[in-house]
Amino acid sequence: SAVISQKPSRDICQRGTSLTIQCQVDSQVTMMFWYRQQPGQSLTLIATANQGSEATYESGFVIDKFPISRPNLTFSTLTVSNMSPEDSSIYLCSVEGQTYEQYFGPGTRLTVT
Amino acid sequence: GQQLNQSPQSMFIQEGEDVSMNCTSSSIFNTWLWYKQDPGEGPVLLIALYKAGELTSNGRLTAQFGITRKDSFLNISASIPSDVGIYFCAGQNRVTSYDKVIFGPGTSLSVIP
């Protein structure tokens, strides 16, 4: 399975600011995903990020709020824009394995004050 | 939309006991995945199931893909303190084209030494 790292691991941000989260994979992957996990909740898919194309967003998530970049097959970023306390969550990136299972990074724990 | 239910929601067991949890859906899936999430970490894939009726083991863990394709269960034998965490099931209908993974709400496991 791929080794996935995320930066930062955690951050405390003020409302109205933006934070960019980085996801790095140790091998080339076609499909990368960004999830949000609100406190005590399950995982919710934000968007799918494929290299060379626009990210595909799930219902309830928009590009202006969560812009995503996918410049190559090993890297992606998710920006949480104009943050409010409701954005306090764990943000996780994942990649798809050879038999379509997903592997997750360690997550970025975001607190918005 | 597709939803998964997991039961029990939480469980407290004595060390050494066996554990059984399950996941049900109103929709059919052709892939079932089981993950474990430790506090402050990303989910880790435990077992992937791809065929109805399939029974797969990973150490003390055993999972089965239900015959109806609408359910799956996970058993843990002889539990130990490091089994503590949240267990998520996930379903997917990935065949030749991408279909997103749906996650259940999780089962929280506590092991009493």
Side-chain angles (χ1 to χ4, degrees), chain B residues 8-22:
Chain B
Q9 184 176 13
S10 63
M11 50 196 320
F12 294 81
I13 61 167
Q14 289 287 140
E15 182 176 357
E17 288 184 352
D18 295 343
V19 173
S20 184
M21 60 187 79
N22 65 35

Side-chain angles (χ1 to χ4, degrees), chain B residues 39-108:
Chain B
E41 303 289 330
V44 174
L45 181 66
L46 299 173
I47 292 178
L49 303 161
Y50 299 102
K51 198 185 307 183
E54 179 182 356
L55 186 71
T56 298
S57 293
N58 177 7
R60 293 180 295 107
L61 279 60
T62 301
Q64 184 159 27
F65 192 139
I67 290 291
T68 66
R69 295 168 59 192
K70 292 183 177 181
D71 61 349
S72 176
F73 72 75
L74 175 71
N75 286 345
I76 305 173
S77 63
S79 59
I80 59 178
S82 62
D83 290 333
V84 167
I86 300 177
Y87 291 79
F88 291 102
C89 66
Q92 189 185 33
N93 279 320
R94 179 75 146 103
V95 182
T96 55
S97 60
Y98 169 69
D99 191 26
K100 72 177 184 180
V101 177
I102 308 295
F103 283 84
T107 291
S108 174

Side-chain angles (χ1 to χ4, degrees), chain A:
Chain A
S1 64
V3 176
I4 305 166
S5 60
Q6 287 185 233
K7 288 183 186 179
S9 58
R10 58 178 61 228
D11 208 341
I12 301 173
C13 301
Q14 290 194 333
R15 69 173 67 207
T17 62
S18 298
L19 176 71
T20 295
I21 302 167
Q22 299 179 3
C23 180
Q24 180 77 52
V25 189
D26 69 341
S27 58
Q28 293 185 336
V29 293
T30 301
M31 302 191 75
M32 294 180 74
F33 310 89
W34 286 98
Y35 286 82
R36 182 175 72 183
Q37 186 176 28
Q38 294 177 303
Q41 302 296 312
S42 186
L43 287 78
T44 300
L45 181 64
I46 297 172
T48 303
N50 292 336
Q51 193 262 342
S53 62
E54 293 276 329
T56 302
Y57 289 83
E58 295 296 310
S59 175
F61 297 97
V62 295
I63 187 170
D64 290 346
K65 175 67 175 177
F66 297 102
I68 288 171
S69 78
R70 181 81 200 273
N72 58 52
L73 291 174
T74 63
F75 186 79
S76 178
T77 67
L78 169 76
T79 299
V80 186
S81 303
N82 188 24
M83 289 183 285
S84 66
E86 292 71 36
D87 294 320
S88 297
S89 292
I90 300 171
Y91 291 87
L92 295 147
C93 72
S94 73
V95 304
E96 189 175 68
Q98 291 187 341
T99 46
Y100 310 139
E101 71 282 16
Q102 288 193 15
Y103 298 97
F104 286 85
T108 295
R109 186 177 297 267
L110 172 62
T111 302
V112 184
T113 60

